[in-house]
Amino acid sequence: MDMTTVGDTGLLDILQHEVAVFARRAEQTRLGGVGQVRNSMDRAAYLLLNRLDKEGPMGVKALAASMGIDSSTVTRQVAPLVDTGLVKRTSHPEDGRAVVLQLSPRGLSRLDEVRTSRRQLMAELTGEWSPEERETFCSLLTRFNHALSARQASPSVPPAEATTPAS
């Protein structure tokens, strides 16, 4: 579908501008939440800890693949998490030579604090929204993020083609 029609141009200009403003404001605040833990965990750490919590212990390659980034980036980002005790390196249960990354109890506690703070922030920012508006926003933002991921994974294929099954 050609999204550059005259009717869509104005709306797409507004969309690209609002996404840019959102990205800047999100980075400025890091959407860190409220209270003492506000801004206390950077985006990379939050995403890594969250992934380990949701998917369980895994190796660097598996973690990198699940996040859509390369292994060297994961290795670099996880090092300070290991140093601060938020992530543990353990031996793979089947191959003692392989290393598995695991969320430590301290990491889980810290992640829960940050999640609670961020949840509070989301409640404040959307306090005047109806539950349906929150659900619609989550659905559309998820869809938008999936389209970005598909675009990143296959830059030569437009997202609509990458996610739409062939007829």
Side-chain angles (χ1 to χ4, degrees), residues 125-144:
L125 294 174
T126 63
E128 294 181 13
W129 297 15
S130 70
E132 293 80 19
E133 288 172 321
R134 285 179 177 174
E135 191 172 320
T136 298
F137 183 71
C138 286
S139 176
L140 291 173
L141 189 56
T142 299
R143 187 173 166 193
F144 186 79

Side-chain angles (χ1 to χ4, degrees), residues 60-74:
V60 171
K61 286 183 181 179
L63 183 56
S66 75
M67 297 184 70
I69 56 180
D70 64 68
S71 296
S72 64
T73 300
V74 167

Side-chain angles (χ1 to χ4, degrees), residues 1 6 20 24 27 35 45 48 55 81 85 93 103 111 139 162 164 167:
M1 173 179 4
V6 174
R24 182 184 67 215
E27 188 57 34
L48 284 167
E55 295 184 21
L81 301 176
L103 192 61
L111 181 60
S139 176
T164 305
S167 308

Side-chain angles (χ1 to χ4, degrees), residues 2-65:
D2 181 11
M3 294 299 290
T4 59
T5 62
V6 174
D8 290 337
T9 302
L11 188 57
L12 293 174
D13 283 346
I14 292 168
L15 179 59
Q16 66 82 20
H17 175 77
E18 291 301 325
V19 167
V21 170
F22 170 77
R24 182 184 67 215
R25 289 193 176 138
E27 188 57 34
Q28 287 171 339
T29 65
R30 295 187 189 261
L31 290 180
V34 296
Q36 292 180 325
V37 290
R38 184 174 190 269
N39 292 330
S40 60
M41 185 177 288
D42 70 38
R43 180 182 61 240
Y46 177 78
L47 292 172
L48 284 167
L49 294 177
N50 196 54
R51 185 65 56 138
L52 288 172
D53 181 44
K54 299 248 186 252
E55 295 184 21
M58 65 181 79
V60 171
K61 286 183 181 179
L63 183 56

